[in-house]
């Protein structure tokens, strides 16, 4: 994680140096990559962080399951198709890794109360990007769309359940996403930091074999929630 933080800070330094060297925010800045946004199709890549959570709905009122979040990392590629001067269609397949801990109430031992959920996602979003008018070398935008996610660590095919300390979820989920970001045009590339919220649409939980399981019987649904901070380079 420290290496990733250093890499992103280094990228910020390079981008910031290039921008301010060319007086990005001056009254008459030198326009970088003036014709880049006229391209019909272009590609890039991203690095970033994620923070995944669970939204848990219950059948009856009782003590809540506590979710402890951690910071994960993202890496992927970007394909951008220009539909209009201010509208682009983006496909951003990526690999996302995260860990969550579920603390169940009413258990006397940590072995029964704690479930660590390690997730490795292949995330496949299709997004619409709505950009503002470019001002100098800066162009803010908002984006949103739908995505599907494959959880490579779902344990969906495992015959063991929580009685065997195995927490299971469905391998495929669907989500909707919304976010915003800024394109900074340097002389050689576009640096684009963004933040995005991800909201699962379907229940992901695979119930235990015992219908009266203390881990899953009172759960109506579990849906993923996440925040992505990505640093994209075109």
């Amino acid at each position: 994680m420290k290496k990733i933080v250093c890499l992103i800070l280094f990228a910020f330094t390079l981008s910031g140096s290039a921008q301010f060297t060319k007086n990005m925010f001056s009254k008459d800045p030198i326009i970088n990559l003036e014709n880049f946004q006229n391209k019909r199709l272009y590609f890039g890549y991203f690095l970033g962080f994620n923070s995944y959570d669970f939204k848990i709905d219950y059948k009856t009122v009782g003590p809540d399951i506590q979710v402890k979040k951690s910071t994960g990392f993202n890496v992927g590629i970007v394909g951008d198709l220009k539909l209009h001067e201010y509208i682009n269609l983006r496909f951003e397949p990526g690999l996302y890794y995260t860990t969550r801990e579920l603390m169940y109430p009413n258990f006397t031992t940590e072995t029964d109360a704690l479930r660590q959920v390690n997730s490795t996602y292949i995330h496949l979003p299709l997004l619409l990007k709505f950009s503002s008018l470019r001002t100098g070398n800066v162009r803010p935008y908002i984006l949103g769309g739908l995505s599907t996610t494959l959880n490579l660590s779902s344990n969906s095919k495992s015959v063991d359940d929580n009685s065997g300390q195995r927490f299971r979820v469905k391998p495929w989920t669907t989500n909707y996403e919304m976010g915003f970001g800024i394109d900074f045009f340097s002389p050689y590339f576009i640096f684009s930091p963004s933040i995005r919220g991800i909201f699962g649409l379907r229940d992901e939980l695979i119930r235990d074999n015992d219908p009266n399981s203390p881990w899953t019987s009172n759960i109506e649904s579990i849906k993923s929630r996440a925040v992505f901070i990505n640093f994209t380079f075109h």
Side-chain angles (χ1 to χ4, degrees):
M1 182 60 68
K2 291 182 178 180
K3 291 182 179 179
I4 297 175
V5 172
C6 291
L7 180 61
I8 291 174
L9 290 176
F10 180 67
F12 263 123
T13 302
L14 287 179
S15 177
S17 176
Q19 302 300 344
F20 285 104
T21 299
K22 298 299 182 180
N23 298 318
M24 176 185 289
F25 299 107
S26 66
K27 184 177 180 180
D28 297 306
I30 298 173
I31 303 301
N32 299 320
L33 301 177
E34 187 172 2
N35 296 318
F36 189 93
Q37 64 195 52
N38 296 326
K39 290 185 177 182
R40 179 70 172 172
L41 178 67
Y42 60 88
F43 299 92
Y45 67 92
F46 65 84
L47 303 169
F49 302 108
N50 66 67
S51 178
Y52 269 89
D53 197 355
F54 279 127
K55 179 181 182 295
I56 305 176
D57 294 321
Y58 303 92
K59 295 178 181 178
T60 60
V61 177
D64 289 347
I65 301 169
Q66 300 301 313
V67 182
K68 182 180 178 180
K69 300 175 289 183
S70 64
T71 301
F73 65 87
N74 326 322
V75 61
I77 59 176
V78 177
D80 190 295
L81 176 66
K82 181 179 179 181
L83 302 178
H84 181 270
E85 184 177 358
Y86 303 107
I87 304 174
N88 295 62
L89 181 66
R90 294 170 70 92
F91 182 51
E92 300 185 359
L95 184 67
Y96 291 69
Y97 177 79
T98 190
T99 298
R100 286 159 285 188
E101 291 185 352
L102 302 181
M103 290 296 300
Y104 283 84
N106 303 325
F107 284 102
T108 57
T109 65
E110 183 176 334
T111 302
D112 290 330
L114 177 63
R115 290 293 178 268
Q116 188 174 68
V117 185
N118 297 312
S119 300
T120 302
Y121 293 114
I122 296 177
H123 188 64
L124 305 169
L126 191 63
L127 309 168
L128 284 175
K129 175 185 176 184
F130 300 90
S131 301
S132 69
L133 182 67
R134 176 174 172 174
T135 303
N137 291 310
V138 179
R139 196 180 198 193
Y141 62 86
I142 60 174
L143 76 170
L146 297 174
S147 62
T148 185
T149 304
L150 172 61
N151 187 351
L152 301 177
S153 309
S154 67
N155 295 322
S156 60
K157 296 183 179 180
S158 174
V159 296
D160 293 329
D161 58 16
N162 280 289
S163 61
Q165 301 183 29
R166 188 64 58 89
F167 186 83
R168 302 179 299 177
V169 292
K170 298 171 184 176
W172 288 97
T173 60
T174 54
N175 324 275
Y176 71 91
E177 310 187 11
M178 297 183 295
F180 63 91
I182 303 175
D183 288 332
F184 294 101
F185 294 80
S186 79
Y188 307 107
F189 61 88
I190 298 174
F191 174 61
S192 181
S194 65
I195 184 169
R196 193 153 81 237
I198 287 78
F199 307 89
L201 294 173
R202 297 189 300 178
D203 180 27
E204 300 174 30
L205 182 65
I206 296 178
R207 271 69 184 175
D208 291 342
N209 301 321
D210 180 3
N212 297 315
S213 165
W215 293 279
T216 63
S217 61
N218 193 40
I219 295 177
E220 184 70 35
S221 68
I222 284 182
K223 300 175 182 178
S224 286
R225 297 287 188 267
V227 175
F228 296 166
I229 298 177
N230 284 338
F231 303 92
T232 304
F233 300 84
H234 296 292

